[in-house]
Amino acid sequence: MSAAPLSGLARLLVQHGRLNEADADALQAAAIASKISFIEQLSKSKKLTAAEIAEFSSQTFGFPLLDLAQYDPSYIQAGALDNKLMTSQRIVPLYKRGNTKLFIGISDITNLQAIEEVRFQSGLQVEPIVVEDDKLAVLLDRLIEASGAKLKDLMVDEASLEMNSGQEEAADATNADVDDAPVVKYIQKVLMDAIQEGASDVHFEPYEKFYRIRYRKDGVLREIAQPPLAIKEKIASRIKVISKLDISEKRIPQDGRMKLVLSKNRAIDFRVSTLPTLHGEKICMRILDPSSATLGIDALGYEPDQKEALLNAVHRPYGMVLVTGPTGSGKTVSLYTCLNILNEPGINISTAEDPAEINMAGINQVNVNDKAGLTFASALKAFLRQDPDVIMVGEIRDLETADIAIKAAQTGHMVFSTLHTNDAPGTLTRLMNMGVAPFNIASSVILITAQRLARRLCSCKAPADIPREALLQAGFKEDELDGSWTPYRAVGCDICKGSGYKGRVGIYQVMPISDEMNRIIMQQGNAIDIADQARREGVRDLRASGLWKVRQGMTSLEEVMACTNE
């Protein structure tokens, strides 16, 4: 017996012998549980394809069938229906005839509620046209991403942020200023452009006589606009409201986050930081694309031997893996790539971050809150009572955090963390300077990765005429200058907007901790001693790894020289 009455389409498929009743019941229940449409669930099950469902609906109800792959999206009636209605009811306004009739594309022709809602919202006579559900989903994603839906409609509350009632009252009191329509649209345009350009950060910066907005793309800041100075307060207030920050507090820095839902299958997180300056609040918004953590280790740019060393360490049952580098060098993506490799039903993974930058299903993520007493150290202590297999600490900042993390690594847990040091050997001496005992370091740390991000040459690159002496001075060896490879330089074209670079590539120093290195640590050797031993063991430093990328034609010598030390 059915747990719930079958929907119109499910019932018709059963009546026409295209689906048995048990399968229809199960698919409908799964669709309700997953909060997706019956057609989506049916397509996923592969019992019927989206094309077969559309053809069945067209023949059964006598409505025309349209292949959206052959449809010109420029005919779409922009503004005819709002984005919420289109995505919730899975419909698209295809064509408007005069002021009387609207043709809509719909995959579930039995969804009479959707047709009624369209008729009510548009005030027009509605003519349904059957379309394939998968093609409809793709078109909807493109439409909503291109339209840049209003931020106030797209914001999603984040449980990681707390907001007291006083803040809500302050937000209501200033609602008239904050919801200024031109400012809302302007911020929306700035953020959508930043996402489409592939920027990593957006800076809103007030000065005495002007206000500017800059994007950081491929590690380089570029000014993109100078809005009127008079709207600086409204911009700051609007961003703070949608980031759940206290808009009445302008004297101290604040940190928050927001989520921008671009489509059903894509959402972008923003980490928001405010800073009081002489002439107003500077706001930096870090763009966090969760998809970057699922690219896989092959997309990060590790050389084969470095990748093998890292994977060997990641799959060890216990120990500590440290990732080092400056802010913006890709440490978080590297850590989450490792966690994603280990993210399986049989493994308990917990992370403590400030704040959690990438949301990943299957991982227990905790936001550090120093004001509430939830520090890295207290979170780590709690993790150890939660039966963990893998622990990730956003950053080791003090001796207490370092001690607990090391003890966890010594007692059968895999621990990942980051430190701000210039290279891998310097990380070990940094831990000693913190006050960690050398024998604790030697018995817990199994691998250290230092990394930088260099700009990747665009396809417009051209061979560079670099003197042999300059190549040798940069760090190339005599036997490497054998003429089998060519260095390239940046040129500039429309694709890279004249910069000569598009995207970035990782430069890594992957240093497994050997027995000999452990002896040096136990004897309280310095970073130079460890670096010499690493070199003897074949570990490439950052400069050598960068030069290897030059040989492969991925980046230019100038870029490697700029982001690494010899």
Side-chain angles (χ1 to χ4, degrees), residues 385-437:
R385 294 190 289 271
Q386 291 278 321
D387 183 32
D389 298 303
V390 178
I391 295 171
M392 195 267 270
V393 189
E395 184 184 347
I396 293 178
R397 296 177 180 171
D398 51 51
L399 178 59
E400 184 182 12
T401 305
D403 267 341
I404 299 169
I406 281 173
K407 284 173 184 172
Q410 291 171 332
T411 54
H413 305 93
M414 193 69 209
V415 180
F416 295 90
S417 190
T418 70
L419 274 174
H420 288 282
T421 59
N422 287 327
D423 58 10
T427 306
L428 296 168
T429 53
R430 171 87 176 99
L431 287 171
M432 285 190 260
N433 290 339
M434 272 187 185
V436 180

Short mmCIF file of all heavy atoms in Angstrom, two decimals, residues 385-437:
data_model
loop_
_atom_site.label_atom_id
_atom_site.label_comp_id
_atom_site.label_asym_id
_atom_site.label_seq_id
_atom_site.Cartn_x
_atom_site.Cartn_y
_atom_site.Cartn_z
N ARG A 385 37.55 13.72 22.90
CA ARG A 385 36.50 12.96 23.59
C ARG A 385 35.40 12.54 22.62
O ARG A 385 34.38 11.99 23.03
CB ARG A 385 35.90 13.83 24.72
CG ARG A 385 36.87 14.12 25.85
CD ARG A 385 36.17 14.75 27.04
NE ARG A 385 35.75 16.13 26.77
CZ ARG A 385 36.50 17.20 26.99
NH1 ARG A 385 37.73 17.06 27.48
NH2 ARG A 385 36.03 18.41 26.75
N GLN A 386 35.60 12.83 21.32
CA GLN A 386 34.58 12.53 20.31
C GLN A 386 34.98 11.36 19.41
O GLN A 386 34.47 11.23 18.30
CB GLN A 386 34.33 13.77 19.45
CG GLN A 386 33.66 14.92 20.18
CD GLN A 386 32.16 14.74 20.25
OE1 GLN A 386 31.54 14.30 19.30
NE2 GLN A 386 31.57 15.08 21.38
N ASP A 387 35.90 10.53 19.88
CA ASP A 387 36.32 9.34 19.12
C ASP A 387 36.75 9.70 17.70
O ASP A 387 36.21 9.17 16.74
CB ASP A 387 35.18 8.32 19.10
CG ASP A 387 35.57 7.03 18.40
OD1 ASP A 387 36.76 6.66 18.47
OD2 ASP A 387 34.70 6.40 17.76
N PRO A 388 37.75 10.61 17.54
CA PRO A 388 38.13 11.03 16.18
C PRO A 388 39.14 10.07 15.54
O PRO A 388 39.86 9.35 16.22
CB PRO A 388 38.80 12.38 16.44
CG PRO A 388 39.46 12.19 17.77
CD PRO A 388 38.55 11.27 18.56
N ASP A 389 39.15 10.05 14.23
CA ASP A 389 40.22 9.39 13.48
C ASP A 389 41.16 10.43 12.88
O ASP A 389 42.37 10.25 12.87
CB ASP A 389 39.62 8.54 12.34
CG ASP A 389 38.74 7.43 12.87
OD1 ASP A 389 39.24 6.62 13.66
OD2 ASP A 389 37.55 7.38 12.50
N VAL A 390 40.57 11.52 12.37
CA VAL A 390 41.35 12.58 11.73
C VAL A 390 40.93 13.92 12.32
O VAL A 390 39.74 14.19 12.49
CB VAL A 390 41.11 12.59 10.20
CG1 VAL A 390 41.89 13.74 9.55
CG2 VAL A 390 41.51 11.26 9.58
N ILE A 391 41.92 14.74 12.65
CA ILE A 391 41.67 16.06 13.23
C ILE A 391 42.37 17.10 12.36
O ILE A 391 43.52 16.90 11.95
CB ILE A 391 42.19 16.16 14.68
CG1 ILE A 391 41.42 15.20 15.59
CG2 ILE A 391 42.11 17.59 15.21
CD1 ILE A 391 42.01 15.09 16.99
N MET A 392 41.68 18.21 12.09
CA MET A 392 42.33 19.32 11.39
C MET A 392 42.21 20.58 12.23
O MET A 392 41.11 20.95 12.63
CB MET A 392 41.71 19.54 10.01
CG MET A 392 42.56 20.43 9.10
SD MET A 392 42.13 22.15 9.18
CE MET A 392 40.90 22.25 7.90
N VAL A 393 43.34 21.20 12.52
CA VAL A 393 43.37 22.46 13.27
C VAL A 393 43.72 23.56 12.28
O VAL A 393 44.74 23.49 11.60
CB VAL A 393 44.43 22.41 14.39
CG1 VAL A 393 44.31 23.62 15.30
CG2 VAL A 393 44.31 21.14 15.19
N GLY A 394 42.87 24.58 12.21
CA GLY A 394 43.08 25.64 11.22
C GLY A 394 44.46 26.25 11.28
O GLY A 394 45.09 26.50 10.26
N GLU A 395 44.95 26.49 12.49
CA GLU A 395 46.28 27.10 12.63
C GLU A 395 46.82 26.84 14.02
O GLU A 395 46.08 26.94 15.01
CB GLU A 395 46.19 28.62 12.39
CG GLU A 395 47.53 29.32 12.42
CD GLU A 395 47.40 30.82 12.26
OE1 GLU A 395 46.31 31.30 11.88
OE2 GLU A 395 48.40 31.52 12.55
N ILE A 396 48.09 26.50 14.11
CA ILE A 396 48.75 26.36 15.41
C ILE A 396 49.34 27.72 15.78
O ILE A 396 50.32 28.18 15.17
CB ILE A 396 49.84 25.28 15.37
CG1 ILE A 396 49.20 23.91 15.17
CG2 ILE A 396 50.67 25.29 16.66
CD1 ILE A 396 50.18 22.76 15.07
N ARG A 397 48.71 28.39 16.76
CA ARG A 397 49.11 29.75 17.10
C ARG A 397 49.89 29.86 18.39
O ARG A 397 50.58 30.85 18.63
CB ARG A 397 47.86 30.64 17.22
CG ARG A 397 47.09 30.80 15.93
CD ARG A 397 45.84 31.63 16.18
NE ARG A 397 45.06 31.80 14.96
CZ ARG A 397 43.85 32.33 14.92
NH1 ARG A 397 43.28 32.74 16.04
NH2 ARG A 397 43.21 32.46 13.77
N ASP A 398 49.74 28.86 19.27
CA ASP A 398 50.38 28.98 20.59
C ASP A 398 50.83 27.61 21.07
O ASP A 398 50.52 26.58 20.48
CB ASP A 398 49.41 29.62 21.60
CG ASP A 398 48.06 28.92 21.62
OD1 ASP A 398 48.04 27.68 21.74
OD2 ASP A 398 47.03 29.61 21.51
N LEU A 399 51.55 27.63 22.18
CA LEU A 399 52.13 26.39 22.72
C LEU A 399 51.05 25.41 23.15
O LEU A 399 51.18 24.20 22.93
CB LEU A 399 53.05 26.72 23.89
CG LEU A 399 53.69 25.52 24.61
CD1 LEU A 399 54.53 24.70 23.64
CD2 LEU A 399 54.55 25.99 25.78
N GLU A 400 49.96 25.90 23.76
CA GLU A 400 48.91 25.00 24.25
C GLU A 400 48.29 24.22 23.08
O GLU A 400 48.13 22.99 23.16
CB GLU A 400 47.84 25.80 24.99
CG GLU A 400 46.77 24.89 25.61
CD GLU A 400 45.65 25.66 26.31
OE1 GLU A 400 45.58 26.89 26.13
OE2 GLU A 400 44.85 25.02 27.01
N THR A 401 47.97 24.93 22.01
CA THR A 401 47.38 24.26 20.83
C THR A 401 48.37 23.25 20.25
O THR A 401 48.00 22.13 19.89
CB THR A 401 47.00 25.30 19.77
OG1 THR A 401 46.14 26.27 20.35
CG2 THR A 401 46.29 24.64 18.59
N ALA A 402 49.65 23.68 20.13
CA ALA A 402 50.68 22.80 19.58
C ALA A 402 50.82 21.53 20.42
O ALA A 402 50.92 20.42 19.88
CB ALA A 402 52.01 23.54 19.50
N ASP A 403 50.82 21.68 21.75
CA ASP A 403 51.00 20.53 22.64
C ASP A 403 49.86 19.53 22.49
O ASP A 403 50.09 18.31 22.40
CB ASP A 403 51.06 21.01 24.10
CG ASP A 403 52.49 21.25 24.55
OD1 ASP A 403 53.40 20.72 23.90
OD2 ASP A 403 52.69 21.98 25.54
N ILE A 404 48.62 20.03 22.46
CA ILE A 404 47.47 19.11 22.36
C ILE A 404 47.47 18.42 21.00
O ILE A 404 47.20 17.21 20.90
CB ILE A 404 46.16 19.88 22.59
CG1 ILE A 404 46.13 20.51 23.98
CG2 ILE A 404 44.96 18.94 22.44
CD1 ILE A 404 45.00 21.50 24.19
N ALA A 405 47.78 19.17 19.94
CA ALA A 405 47.80 18.58 18.60
C ALA A 405 48.87 17.50 18.51
O ALA A 405 48.65 16.43 17.92
CB ALA A 405 48.06 19.67 17.56
N ILE A 406 50.02 17.75 19.08
CA ILE A 406 51.11 16.78 19.04
C ILE A 406 50.76 15.53 19.86
O ILE A 406 51.02 14.40 19.44
CB ILE A 406 52.42 17.43 19.52
CG1 ILE A 406 52.99 18.27 18.39
CG2 ILE A 406 53.43 16.38 19.99
CD1 ILE A 406 54.19 19.11 18.76
N LYS A 407 50.13 15.73 21.00
CA LYS A 407 49.73 14.58 21.82
C LYS A 407 48.69 13.74 21.07
O LYS A 407 48.70 12.50 21.16
CB LYS A 407 49.18 15.05 23.16
CG LYS A 407 50.29 15.49 24.11
CD LYS A 407 49.74 16.13 25.37
CE LYS A 407 50.88 16.66 26.24
NZ LYS A 407 50.38 17.44 27.38
N ALA A 408 47.80 14.41 20.34
CA ALA A 408 46.80 13.68 19.55
C ALA A 408 47.49 12.85 18.47
O ALA A 408 47.12 11.69 18.22
CB ALA A 408 45.81 14.66 18.91
N ALA A 409 48.52 13.41 17.84
CA ALA A 409 49.27 12.69 16.80
C ALA A 409 50.04 11.52 17.39
O ALA A 409 50.29 10.53 16.70
CB ALA A 409 50.22 13.64 16.08
N GLN A 410 50.41 11.65 18.65
CA GLN A 410 51.18 10.58 19.31
C GLN A 410 50.30 9.45 19.84
O GLN A 410 50.80 8.39 20.19
CB GLN A 410 52.00 11.16 20.47
CG GLN A 410 53.14 12.06 20.03
CD GLN A 410 53.78 12.77 21.20
OE1 GLN A 410 53.13 13.02 22.22
NE2 GLN A 410 55.06 13.12 21.07
N THR A 411 49.00 9.72 19.90
CA THR A 411 48.10 8.72 20.50
C THR A 411 47.12 8.14 19.49
O THR A 411 45.95 7.89 19.81
CB THR A 411 47.33 9.33 21.69
OG1 THR A 411 46.66 10.53 21.24
CG2 THR A 411 48.26 9.67 22.83
N GLY A 412 47.59 7.98 18.24
CA GLY A 412 46.79 7.23 17.28
C GLY A 412 45.85 8.03 16.42
O GLY A 412 44.93 7.47 15.84
N HIS A 413 46.06 9.36 16.32
CA HIS A 413 45.21 10.19 15.48
C HIS A 413 46.02 10.82 14.35
O HIS A 413 47.20 11.09 14.50
CB HIS A 413 44.54 11.31 16.29
CG HIS A 413 43.76 10.82 17.47
ND1 HIS A 413 44.34 10.73 18.73
CD2 HIS A 413 42.49 10.37 17.60
CE1 HIS A 413 43.44 10.26 19.58
NE2 HIS A 413 42.30 10.03 18.92
N MET A 414 45.36 11.05 13.24
CA MET A 414 45.98 11.78 12.13
C MET A 414 45.63 13.25 12.30
O MET A 414 44.44 13.59 12.38
CB MET A 414 45.45 11.26 10.79
CG MET A 414 46.24 11.71 9.60
SD MET A 414 47.87 10.97 9.57
CE MET A 414 48.78 12.25 8.74
N VAL A 415 46.62 14.11 12.35
CA VAL A 415 46.40 15.54 12.61
C VAL A 415 46.93 16.36 11.44
O VAL A 415 48.07 16.16 10.99
CB VAL A 415 47.08 15.98 13.92
CG1 VAL A 415 46.84 17.48 14.17
CG2 VAL A 415 46.58 15.16 15.10
N PHE A 416 46.11 17.28 10.95
CA PHE A 416 46.52 18.22 9.91
C PHE A 416 46.45 19.63 10.49
O PHE A 416 45.51 19.94 11.23
CB PHE A 416 45.60 18.14 8.68
CG PHE A 416 45.64 16.84 7.96
CD1 PHE A 416 44.78 15.80 8.29
CD2 PHE A 416 46.53 16.64 6.92
CE1 PHE A 416 44.82 14.59 7.63
CE2 PHE A 416 46.57 15.43 6.24
CZ PHE A 416 45.72 14.41 6.58
N SER A 417 47.40 20.48 10.11
CA SER A 417 47.33 21.86 10.57
C SER A 417 48.21 22.75 9.70
O SER A 417 48.89 22.27 8.78
CB SER A 417 47.78 21.97 12.03
OG SER A 417 47.48 23.27 12.53
N THR A 418 48.16 24.06 9.98
CA THR A 418 48.97 25.02 9.22
C THR A 418 49.80 25.86 10.18
O THR A 418 49.46 26.02 11.36
CB THR A 418 48.09 25.98 8.38
OG1 THR A 418 47.38 26.86 9.26
CG2 THR A 418 47.11 25.21 7.53
N LEU A 419 50.89 26.39 9.64
CA LEU A 419 51.75 27.35 10.36
C LEU A 419 52.17 28.42 9.37
O LEU A 419 52.27 28.16 8.17
CB LEU A 419 53.00 26.66 10.92
CG LEU A 419 52.91 25.99 12.29
CD1 LEU A 419 54.20 25.26 12.57
CD2 LEU A 419 52.66 27.02 13.38
N HIS A 420 52.43 29.60 9.87
CA HIS A 420 52.92 30.67 8.98
C HIS A 420 54.44 30.72 9.06
O HIS A 420 55.02 31.41 9.90
CB HIS A 420 52.31 32.02 9.39
CG HIS A 420 50.87 32.13 9.04
ND1 HIS A 420 50.42 32.40 7.77
CD2 HIS A 420 49.74 31.99 9.79
CE1 HIS A 420 49.10 32.43 7.75
NE2 HIS A 420 48.66 32.17 8.96
N THR A 421 55.08 29.98 8.18
CA THR A 421 56.54 30.01 8.07
C THR A 421 56.91 30.11 6.59
O THR A 421 56.09 29.88 5.72
CB THR A 421 57.19 28.76 8.69
OG1 THR A 421 56.69 27.60 8.02
CG2 THR A 421 56.89 28.65 10.17
N ASN A 422 58.17 30.44 6.33
CA ASN A 422 58.59 30.68 4.94
C ASN A 422 58.84 29.40 4.16
O ASN A 422 58.64 29.35 2.95
CB ASN A 422 59.85 31.55 4.91
CG ASN A 422 59.56 32.99 5.28
OD1 ASN A 422 58.48 33.49 4.99
ND2 ASN A 422 60.49 33.64 5.95
N ASP A 423 59.31 28.34 4.85
CA ASP A 423 59.59 27.09 4.15
C ASP A 423 59.42 25.92 5.11
O ASP A 423 59.13 26.11 6.30
CB ASP A 423 60.99 27.10 3.53
CG ASP A 423 62.09 27.33 4.56
OD1 ASP A 423 61.79 27.28 5.78
OD2 ASP A 423 63.24 27.56 4.17
N ALA A 424 59.59 24.71 4.60
CA ALA A 424 59.36 23.51 5.42
C ALA A 424 60.37 23.37 6.56
O ALA A 424 59.98 23.12 7.70
CB ALA A 424 59.36 22.27 4.52
N PRO A 425 61.70 23.52 6.32
CA PRO A 425 62.64 23.39 7.44
C PRO A 425 62.40 24.42 8.55
O PRO A 425 62.56 24.10 9.73
CB PRO A 425 64.01 23.61 6.77
CG PRO A 425 63.80 23.22 5.34
CD PRO A 425 62.41 23.66 5.03
N GLY A 426 62.00 25.63 8.18
CA GLY A 426 61.75 26.65 9.18
C GLY A 426 60.58 26.33 10.09
O GLY A 426 60.48 26.87 11.20
N THR A 427 59.70 25.43 9.66
CA THR A 427 58.53 25.05 10.47
C THR A 427 58.96 24.32 11.73
O THR A 427 58.40 24.53 12.81
CB THR A 427 57.59 24.16 9.64
OG1 THR A 427 57.28 24.84 8.42
CG2 THR A 427 56.32 23.85 10.40
N LEU A 428 59.95 23.45 11.60
CA LEU A 428 60.40 22.67 12.76
C LEU A 428 61.03 23.57 13.82
O LEU A 428 60.78 23.41 15.02
CB LEU A 428 61.37 21.59 12.29
CG LEU A 428 60.76 20.54 11.35
CD1 LEU A 428 61.84 19.68 10.71
CD2 LEU A 428 59.78 19.65 12.12
N THR A 429 61.85 24.52 13.37
CA THR A 429 62.46 25.44 14.36
C THR A 429 61.40 26.38 14.94
O THR A 429 61.52 26.80 16.09
CB THR A 429 63.60 26.25 13.72
OG1 THR A 429 63.12 26.89 12.54
CG2 THR A 429 64.76 25.35 13.35
N ARG A 430 60.37 26.70 14.16
CA ARG A 430 59.29 27.54 14.69
C ARG A 430 58.58 26.83 15.83
O ARG A 430 58.25 27.43 16.86
CB ARG A 430 58.30 27.84 13.56
CG ARG A 430 57.01 28.53 14.02
CD ARG A 430 57.16 30.03 14.07
NE ARG A 430 55.91 30.66 14.42
CZ ARG A 430 55.59 31.08 15.64
NH1 ARG A 430 56.45 30.95 16.64
NH2 ARG A 430 54.43 31.66 15.88
N LEU A 431 58.34 25.53 15.69
CA LEU A 431 57.71 24.77 16.77
C LEU A 431 58.60 24.75 18.01
O LEU A 431 58.13 24.87 19.14
CB LEU A 431 57.42 23.34 16.30
CG LEU A 431 56.26 23.16 15.31
CD1 LEU A 431 56.24 21.73 14.78
CD2 LEU A 431 54.93 23.50 15.97
N MET A 432 59.93 24.60 17.78
CA MET A 432 60.86 24.61 18.93
C MET A 432 60.86 25.97 19.62
O MET A 432 60.90 26.06 20.85
CB MET A 432 62.27 24.23 18.47
CG MET A 432 62.45 22.74 18.18
SD MET A 432 64.16 22.27 17.92
CE MET A 432 64.22 22.21 16.14
N ASN A 433 60.80 27.05 18.82
CA ASN A 433 60.76 28.39 19.41
C ASN A 433 59.48 28.63 20.19
O ASN A 433 59.46 29.43 21.13
CB ASN A 433 60.88 29.45 18.30
CG ASN A 433 62.27 29.48 17.68
OD1 ASN A 433 63.23 29.01 18.29
ND2 ASN A 433 62.38 30.00 16.47
N MET A 434 58.40 27.95 19.80
CA MET A 434 57.15 28.06 20.55
C MET A 434 57.28 27.43 21.93
O MET A 434 56.51 27.75 22.84
CB MET A 434 56.03 27.31 19.80
CG MET A 434 55.29 28.14 18.79
SD MET A 434 53.89 27.14 18.17
CE MET A 434 53.29 28.25 16.92
N GLY A 435 58.20 26.51 22.05
CA GLY A 435 58.39 25.83 23.33
C GLY A 435 58.07 24.36 23.28
O GLY A 435 58.05 23.68 24.33
N VAL A 436 57.80 23.81 22.08
CA VAL A 436 57.52 22.38 21.96
C VAL A 436 58.84 21.61 22.11
O VAL A 436 59.84 21.96 21.49
CB VAL A 436 56.87 22.05 20.60
CG1 VAL A 436 56.59 20.56 20.49
CG2 VAL A 436 55.59 22.85 20.41
N ALA A 437 58.84 20.59 22.94
CA ALA A 437 60.05 19.80 23.18
C ALA A 437 60.48 19.09 21.89
O ALA A 437 59.63 18.55 21.17
CB ALA A 437 59.80 18.77 24.28
#
